[in-house]
Amino acid sequence: MRDRDVRESVWRWLVVDHAGDNDTLMLNELGILNGATRIDIAVINSQIEGYELKSERDTLERLPAQRDLYNNVLDRISLVVAENHRDAAEEIIPDWWGLAIASNSPGGVVVTRERPPEMNPGLDAATLASLLWRDEALAVLERYGSARGVRSKPREALYERLAVALDLDMVRAEVRTALKARAGWRVDRRSRQCGG
């Protein structure tokens, strides 16, 4: 079982789940904290849901650091692991993360959901805002009349200002809107709207 096999199986499952939903964007690999890490699959609609994939050949060495970053920005998170990683993974991830098990079958990899994800109780508004490109963050601040004093500052200052000027739900909504509307995004054959 390879990462690609797990990804294909999860992707098929998500396409079925979101078929006909014109407000859903699915992406392979969404960079978090300016590329410090990437979630394997992101589903963006009324929330940002991430899927981290660990095949039989992967290790869980990076999972604690990934967990800490994902916990700051993703509304819901699911870990999809091969059976050999199940016990160790459950020790690393919080109870509110979803968990699915990838296993081999004669027809290919099958993913079985063990538990659904719950809403993230600990989003960080400034880290969430860092999903925005600098010009996107500045445009949001301009719309809310909060750009004064940070227009020429580094992007981190814009993210901090967004976290102060807007409440968390507003930051969440602005980030989702920007991600779905983004032009010039890295082209990926898997990036797509799910509308019929």
Side-chain angles (χ1 to χ4, degrees), residues 137-147 150 158 161-162 165-166:
L138 185 55
V140 173
L141 287 170
E142 293 284 3
R143 273 200 316 278
Y144 288 95
S146 298
V150 295
L158 277 66
R161 175 67 60 87
L162 277 167
L166 281 68

Side-chain angles (χ1 to χ4, degrees), residues 80-95:
V80 180
V81 293
E83 185 65 46
N84 64 314
H85 294 309
R86 172 197 224 134
D87 293 340
E90 286 195 276
E91 295 294 318
I92 296 170
I93 62 172
D95 291 341

Side-chain angles (χ1 to χ4, degrees), residues 60-69 92:
L60 301 183
E61 185 177 300
R62 295 183 309 132
L63 186 57
Q66 291 171 317
R67 173 202 61 210
D68 295 345
L69 291 173
I92 296 170

